[in-house]
């Protein structure tokens, strides 16, 4: 429950609406007590009622019913307030998401975020709009009934309520077994989902080799495990709700035993007994409802925790200080994230403003990781990286990405039109400017053949495009952007050498006198570089111009030797 | 449960045939639920009888009744839990089988059919939507029955106390029925609109989350969030309108469903006043009528859940109804001469290759070259049967490949695709697939050598038994591609297709690799697709595909061997 509170506490105006909704909901539930109290009053009077009195009572009863109807309208505030809270929370959390370091947003992580913001958020909304009000209303009714019971006959009340603490303890105890099952089932669902994705992804390959069973059989096994974990969850949920329910229902047994004891001591009037019996039965109904609602809320609340956990992740400064231009200086920058290829050991280097710098080295030497650090996707675990004398983390992402652009190996495009995908780089570009950059990356011919031209849809993450087309589209975007610093991670790996040449020429033309840092694997593309940083095993082994490296590095000489003309 | 046993004609028939597969569990569950309802009513009976005992001041009788109530409470909960458990078992089994059927069906469906589906959409249909079916079958079966039965038993009990009271308690029933029909009419339509709005927001959120990294870099994240915020506000306004429209009907419904007691009390009071019923009978009627109409409320939810579950099944039907590919068993070819017979290929409305005919004898190598996007991969995929041909045919010794089963085709043709798909398991699992035990180590070593992977594998912590997850961190793009090549070579098929397998390699390694290939497998027909023209030096024939505009026709050059 505390997670819900923490998630919504910053929302005063909305909270008032929800609160009003809850109060009305409680009132609605409590109106049910009117006929009960009326019954007690009538029987207590012990009189014979005249027709007039009966009519008056009927009027009162109908009035209570209308009151109930009026209170029920409060459901509107409850729903609308809850929707508003969750909608605002959604925006707040998405705002939090965009402040995360970029490495947390990329790759496999993006699937987890989608799950969190759709499925799990929906669960949270459900608790908030429906379940919570029900639980509160039932709890209030429960308290009201206990109060009446105590007022009518304290001894009988004691006997009826005696099993409650035991039931509560039992619920707490069983919840301890139940809660891990929720996590386990979530985990199983995630596993099944990722295994299904793997299967779907590999299906083409598997079918072409006629070996679908290779992944199908394990997947079917996984589905069986999923069924079992679902049933385990249901079972432990059922036990956690029904055992305490059973114990609390034994209040009725306590009630009868105490009644027996009281009448043997001759201290119980039959009317009082009837009233208390009535309230005790009502209490049992409410307990039953609560026992169903509480474990259900537990499942849904685990989503609230997952949402709350976003706030514990690192937060990047958006509005930072200073302007991002000038020289990159790496001072013993190291990075270690548990993965072997991610490790960098004490890198020191400087890259001047306007320099064309290439990063090369065998695969797994940490080139991409270094580029990610320079792009501010993540911070070095020790040492520092500064730009224009200011630590990259302090510049603020808004300032940093005003002047820096990273074009990665994994091209990221939107499901939308070509125009939309290009305009993101410069929303004021004319169509002519867009066509001209497409020409610069050698996509002009391709583009003129498209039936809808710039308005052609490219599908989810450019599904309808080939690898080379995607790469060139993302470079076209970079050409439009004209950032001060351009970071390129093997930008032309899917292109043939002719196209590659055209594309790189355009890039160098547009980014003349701007800083370009490029990870490359074909040396012929970087001979002109002002500085080449050669990496191996997460360390910088040599740096300098092409000529200088030819002289001083054996590894570079070897690599150059295998480069064709 | 086999697909053949399941009626997939319509959604209702589908649901019914699914329920029938577990009819025993459901029937038993429902009987148990009826017994549980009986036990619940019995509790009220006992309390009623206790009143007499209190009046008679018979405390022994009360202790005895307390024991009976204890037993009734235990048996009621046990029976109810049993009913739920039986229905849960059945429901989970059914849903698991539906999922299993779906994934098996995916394996049987033709590839050309599969590519029409989006992966996340399939995942949603198979795993997530089907959860609604669990909810319906596991919970609502028992609940509906107990909900229908409970009021009847309660009314019977009240009627036994006094028939006039029972009539008064039932008085709101016609209004409830009328409201039920009335509200239900507007409900599904609004539900659809509501779901659409939710789906729109979900998609917008999905797009934002997916694009967050790009948006951030282009400083558009704030604008996008602003847009999303506006969209969510619009959505909220819509929700507000729907809630306002529905709340009147809904609250009438909830109020009516619980209004019996408000009529019972004055009327009961009048009867009691005329000494026609006892204190206890009056009291019991009040308590029974409190909960009397609650089932109607739950019935409404039940309706919504059924609609959702039917919708989930509806999502799966098109998947289960994909027609299986027709395949004939052909005798194995002897010559393995591969022919393209007036082949026309294209994607959607675009024709990429028009009327191509060529013949490759066993052991010939064909280079397929051309610019990015000119249809090289389409060419390869057509031979693999992954896309439909526009016209013409692929033939192997005059047998049309289109009529072959996937199994047979796989025996004759293997392809190393542009992207190598690695699944969880060791490198060995990934390379040998289903032939782990039937491939000799010598052959594996030779293939690794051809693919220049020997030293790469040696550097792995456990060699070929290294887990893929660990290995893929140590592998470069080029090495991963060569693993795909090795996998295709290990099938030892007469025909091999290499789709841009050398794209990630520097030219020296590429040429060395092609050299290795031609020497190690001289009798294999190889189709080598590349965007680099120099591969033609290693081939007997070259197919140069036209660039998208300049050249209108492909150029086929064949060198006699």
């Amino acid at each position: 429950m505390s997670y819900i509170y923490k998630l919504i506490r910053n929302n005063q105006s909305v909270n008032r609406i929800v609160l009003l909704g809850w109060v009305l909901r409680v009132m609605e539930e409590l109106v049910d007590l009117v006929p009960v109290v009326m019954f007690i009053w009538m029987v207590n009077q012990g009189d014979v009622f005249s027709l007039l009195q009966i009519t008056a009572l009927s009027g009162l009863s109908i009035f209570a019913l209308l009151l109930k109807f009026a209170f029920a309208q409060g459901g509107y505030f409850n729903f609308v307030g809850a929707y508003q809270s969750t909608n605002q929370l959604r925006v707040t959390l998405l705002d939090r998401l965009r402040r995360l370091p970029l490495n947390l947003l990329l790759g496999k992580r993006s699937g987890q975020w989608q799950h969190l913001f759709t499925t799990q958020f929906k669960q949270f909304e459900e608790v908030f709009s429906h379940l919570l009000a029900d639980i509160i209303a039932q709890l209030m009714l429960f308290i009201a009934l206990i109060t009446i019971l105590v007022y009518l006959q304290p001894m009988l009340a004691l006997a009826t309520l005696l099993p409650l603490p035991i039931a509560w303890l039992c619920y707490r105890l069983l919840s301890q077994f139940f809660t891990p099952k929720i996590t386990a089932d979530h985990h199983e669902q995630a596993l099944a989902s990722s295994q299904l994705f793997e299967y779907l992804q590999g299906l083409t390959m598997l079918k072409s080799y006629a070996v679908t069973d290779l992944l199908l059989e394990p997947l079917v096994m996984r589905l069986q495990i999923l069924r079992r974990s679902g049933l385990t969850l249901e079972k432990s949920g059922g036990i956690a709700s029904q055992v305490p329910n059973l114990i609390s229902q034994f209040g009725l047994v306590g009630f009868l035993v105490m009644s027996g004891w009281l009448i043997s001591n001759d201290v119980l009037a039959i009317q009082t007994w009837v009233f208390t019996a009535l309230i005790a039965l009502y209490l049992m109904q409410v307990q039953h409802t609560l026992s169903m609602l509480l474990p259900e809320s537990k499942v849904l609340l685990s989503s609230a925790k997952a949402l709350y956990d976003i706030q514990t992740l690192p937060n990047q400064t958006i509005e930072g200080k200073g302007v991002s231009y000038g020289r990159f200086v790496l001072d013993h920058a190291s990075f270690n994230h548990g993965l072997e290829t991610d490790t960098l050991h004490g890198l020191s280097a400087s890259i001047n403003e306007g320099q064309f710098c290439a990063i090369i080295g065998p695969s797994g030497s940490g080139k991409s990781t270094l580029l990610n650090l320079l792009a501010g996707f993540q911070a070095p675990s020790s040492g520092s990286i500064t730009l224009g004398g200011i630590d990259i983390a302090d510049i603020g992402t808004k300032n940093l990405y005003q002047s820096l652009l990273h074009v990665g190996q994994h091209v990221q495009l939107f499901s939308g039109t070509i125009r939309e995908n290009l305009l993101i780089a410069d929303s004021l570009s004319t169509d002519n400017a867009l066509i001209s950059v497409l020409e610069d990356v050698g996509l002009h011919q391709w583009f003129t053949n498209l039936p809808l031209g710039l308005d052609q849809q490219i599908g989810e993450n450019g599904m309808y495009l080939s690898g080379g087309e995607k790469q060139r589209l993302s470079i076209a975007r970079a050409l439009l952007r004209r950032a001060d610093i351009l970071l390129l991670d093997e930008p032309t790996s899917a292109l043939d050498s002719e196209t590659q040449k055209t594309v790189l020429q355009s890039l160098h033309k547009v980014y003349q006198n701007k800083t370009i840092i490029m990870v490359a694997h074909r040396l012929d593309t970087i001979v002109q570089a002002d500085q080449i940083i050669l990496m191996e095993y997460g360390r910088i082994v040599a740096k300098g111009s092409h000529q200088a490296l030819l002289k001083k590095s054996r590894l570079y000489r070897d690599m150059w030797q295998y480069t064709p003309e | 449960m086999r697909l053949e046993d399941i009626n997939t004609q319509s959604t209702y028939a589908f649901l019914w045939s699914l329920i029938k597969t577990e009819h025993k569990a459901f029937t038993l569950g429902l009987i148990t639920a009826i017994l549980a309802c009986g036990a619940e009513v019995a509790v009220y009976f006992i309390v009623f009888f206790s009143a007499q005992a209190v009046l008679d001041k018979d405390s022994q009788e009360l202790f005895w009744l307390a024991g009976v109530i204890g037993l009734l409470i235990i048996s009621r909960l046990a029976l109810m839990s049993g009913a739920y458990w039986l229905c849960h078992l059945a429901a989970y089994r059914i849903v698991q089988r539906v999922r299993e059927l779906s994934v098996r069906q995916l394996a049987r469906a033709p590839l050309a059919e599969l590519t029409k589906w989006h992966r996340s959409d399939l995942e949603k249909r198979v795993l997530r939507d089907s959860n609604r079916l669990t909810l319906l079958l596991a919970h609502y079966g028992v609940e509906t029955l107990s909900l229908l039965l409970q009021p009847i038993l309660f009314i019977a009990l009240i009627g036994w106390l006094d028939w006039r009271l029972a009539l008064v308690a039932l008085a709101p029933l016609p209004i409830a029925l009328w409201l039920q029909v009335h509200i239900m009419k507007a409900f599904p339509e609004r539900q659809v609109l509501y779901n659409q709005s939710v789906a729109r927001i979900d998609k917008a959120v999905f797009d934002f989350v997916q694009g967050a990294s790009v948006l951030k870099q282009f400083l558009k994240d704030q604008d996008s969030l602003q847009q999303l915020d506006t969209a969510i506000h619009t959505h909220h306004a819509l929700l507000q309108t729907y809630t306002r429209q529905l709340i009147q009907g809904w609250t009438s419904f909830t109020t009516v469903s619980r209004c019996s007691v408000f009529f019972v009390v004055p009327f009961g009071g009048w009867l009691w006043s005329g000494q026609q019923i006892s204190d206890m009978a009056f009291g019991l009627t009040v308590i029974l009528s409190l909960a009397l109409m609650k089932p109607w409320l739950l019935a409404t939810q039940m309706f919504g859940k059924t609609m959702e579950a039917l919708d989930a099944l509806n999502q799966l039907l098109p998947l289960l109804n994909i027609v299986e590919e027709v395949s004939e068993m052909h005798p194995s070819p002897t010559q393995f001469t591969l022919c393209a017979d007036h082949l026309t290929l294209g994607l959607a409305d675009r024709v990429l290759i028009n009327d191509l005919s060529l013949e490759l004898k066993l052991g010939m190598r064909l280079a397929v070259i051309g610019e990015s996007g000119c249809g090289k991969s389409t060419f390869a995929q057509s031979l693999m049967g992954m896309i439909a041909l526009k016209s013409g045919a692929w033939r192997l010794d005059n047998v049309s490949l289109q009529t072959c089963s996937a199994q047979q085709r796989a025996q004759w043709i293997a392809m190393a695709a542009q992207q190598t798909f690695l699944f969880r398991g060791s490198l060995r699992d990934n390379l040998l697939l289903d032939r782990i035990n039937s491939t000799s180590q010598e052959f594996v070593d030779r293939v690794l050598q051809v693919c220049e992977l020997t030293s790469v594998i040696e550097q792995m912590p456990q060699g070929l038994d290294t887990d893929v997850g660990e290995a893929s961190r140590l592998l470069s793009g080029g090495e991963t591609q060569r693993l795909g090549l090795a996998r295709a070579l290990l099938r030892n098929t007469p025909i091999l297709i290499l789709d841009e397998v050398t794209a990630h390699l520097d030219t020296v390694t590429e040429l060395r690799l092609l050299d290795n290939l031609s020497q190690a497998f001289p009798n294999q027909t190889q189709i080598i697709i590349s965007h680099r023209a120099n591969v033609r030096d290693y081939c007997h024939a070259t197919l140069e595909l036209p660039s998208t505009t300049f050249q209108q026709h492909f150029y086929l050059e064949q060198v006699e061997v």
Side-chain angles (χ1 to χ4, degrees), chain A residues 540-551:
Chain A
I540 296 179
V541 289
K543 51 184 185 245
S545 68
H546 171 66
Q547 290 305 330
L549 284 185
L550 274 184
K551 276 192 204 117

Side-chain angles (χ1 to χ4, degrees), chain A residues 32 49 61 207 316 412 562, chain B residues 109 213 216 258 262 273 508:
Chain A
D32 278 358
F49 289 97
S61 190
K207 285 195 74 130
Q316 269 190 327
Q412 298 226 314
Y562 286 116
Chain B
S213 55
K216 188 171 175 178
R258 296 167 67 180
F262 291 90
S273 182
V508 180

Side-chain angles (χ1 to χ4, degrees), chain A residues 74-221:
Chain A
Y76 173 75
F77 297 106
N78 179 17
F79 291 139
V80 166
Y83 291 142
Q84 200 168 340
S85 294
T86 49
N87 280 335
Q88 270 180 21
L89 177 68
R90 191 176 347 225
V91 177
T92 315
L93 290 177
L94 285 171
D95 185 44
R96 187 66 187 74
L97 179 81
R98 78 183 174 103
R99 288 164 201 270
L100 293 177
L102 274 166
N103 68 314
L104 288 180
L105 291 178
L106 290 164
K108 282 194 176 158
R109 293 271 194 159
S110 103
Q112 287 173 15
W113 294 125
Q114 279 154 12
H115 177 69
L116 183 68
F117 275 99
T118 49
T119 317
Q120 290 192 285
F121 199 88
K122 189 111 201 104
Q123 286 191 340
F124 173 72
E125 201 176 53
E126 191 89 349
V127 184
F128 205 63
S129 60
H130 289 81
L131 211 55
L132 216 49
D134 280 353
I135 292 180
I136 292 172
Q138 292 294 323
L139 273 177
M140 287 300 152
L141 182 61
F142 188 63
I143 292 169
L145 286 172
I146 290 179
T147 317
I148 298 176
L149 202 59
V150 171
Y151 171 77
L152 287 172
Q153 227 298 336
M155 290 304 280
L156 281 175
L158 184 72
T160 314
L161 299 176
L162 207 58
L164 259 191
I166 307 167
W168 179 249
L169 274 177
C170 190
Y171 173 67
R172 296 302 295 244
L173 193 75
L174 290 169
S175 292
Q176 282 175 12
F177 295 99
F178 175 48
T179 318
K181 299 287 192 300
I182 303 175
T183 331
D185 188 56
H186 269 301
H187 182 64
E188 277 308 327
Q189 283 182 18
L191 279 182
S193 165
S194 82
Q195 205 161 329
L196 177 60
F197 264 120
E198 184 186 46
Y199 173 68
L200 292 172
Q201 205 182 351
L203 208 49
T204 314
M205 182 282 276
L206 296 169
K207 285 195 74 130
S208 71
Y209 285 107
V211 289
T212 38
D213 282 357
L214 216 53
L215 291 194
L216 178 62
E217 292 314 322
L219 177 61
V220 168
M221 292 283 281

Side-chain angles (χ1 to χ4, degrees), chain B residues 103-339:
Chain B
V103 294
R104 286 197 191 280
Q105 171 69 10
L106 284 171
R108 297 201 293 188
L111 270 177
E113 209 45 53
L114 277 182
T115 43
K116 290 179 191 161
W117 298 72
H118 198 278
R119 283 205 292 266
S120 60
D121 182 37
L122 281 177
E123 190 260 358
K124 184 171 170 293
R125 285 170 199 239
V126 173
L127 274 187
R128 278 186 282 160
D129 290 350
S130 52
N131 268 332
R132 299 189 202 147
L133 191 62
T134 323
L135 212 60
L136 176 77
L137 295 175
H139 288 270
Y140 286 89
V142 177
E143 250 147 65
T144 324
L145 191 87
S146 54
L147 288 178
L148 287 175
L149 202 65
Q150 199 195 35
I152 294 172
L153 291 174
F154 276 14
I155 280 289
L157 189 53
I158 297 176
W160 176 72
L161 294 168
D162 191 290
W163 64 274
R164 286 161 297 182
L165 271 176
L167 276 186
V168 170
L170 272 179
L173 188 66
I175 308 174
L177 277 173
W178 180 78
L179 274 174
Q180 173 102 8
V181 174
H182 184 71
I183 290 179
M184 284 310 172
K185 215 163 33 186
F187 211 72
E189 187 190 334
R190 300 239 167 86
Q191 190 68 26
V192 168
L193 285 169
Y194 168 79
N195 283 344
Q196 279 172 353
S197 182
V198 169
R200 266 199 302 276
I201 290 299
D202 267 1
K203 187 174 181 313
V205 169
F206 189 87
D207 285 347
F208 179 83
V209 174
Q210 199 177 38
S213 55
V214 191
L215 290 167
K216 188 171 175 178
Q217 281 189 72
F218 285 101
L219 303 171
K220 290 287 175 344
D221 49 340
Q222 183 141 29
D223 298 349
S224 278
L225 192 66
Q226 206 74 53
Q227 279 172 17
L228 193 59
D229 192 26
T230 319
I232 288 177
H233 270 105
T234 320
H235 170 66
H236 182 68
L238 201 75
L239 277 183
Q240 223 164 337
T241 320
Y242 289 152
T243 313
R244 194 172 292 135
Q245 285 169 351
L246 286 178
I247 202 81
Q248 289 291 335
W250 178 251
T251 48
S252 328
F253 203 66
T254 51
T255 313
V256 168
S257 75
R258 296 167 67 180
C259 72
S260 289
V261 70
F262 291 90
F263 299 114
V264 161
V265 167
F267 185 70
W270 181 62
L271 288 179
W272 174 81
S273 182
Q275 298 203 333
Q276 302 189 27
I277 52 170
S278 67
D279 295 1
M280 193 56 207
F282 187 13
L284 200 61
T285 312
V286 171
I287 204 71
L288 286 173
S289 54
L290 263 176
L292 190 66
M293 302 285 284
K294 262 187 187 169
W296 287 106
L297 198 63
L298 284 145
T300 332
Q301 290 169 0
M302 169 79 188
F303 181 78
K305 297 291 169 197
T306 314
M307 287 297 136
E308 280 181 14
L310 285 173
D311 184 50
L313 287 178
N314 224 353
Q315 301 279 320
L316 281 173
L317 277 182
L319 190 67
L320 294 173
N321 282 330
I322 294 178
V323 187
E324 216 174 324
E325 46 199 321
V326 205
S327 47
E328 304 161 27
M329 278 302 276
H330 293 286
S332 185
T334 47
Q335 305 295 316
F336 289 105
T337 307
L338 182 67
C339 282

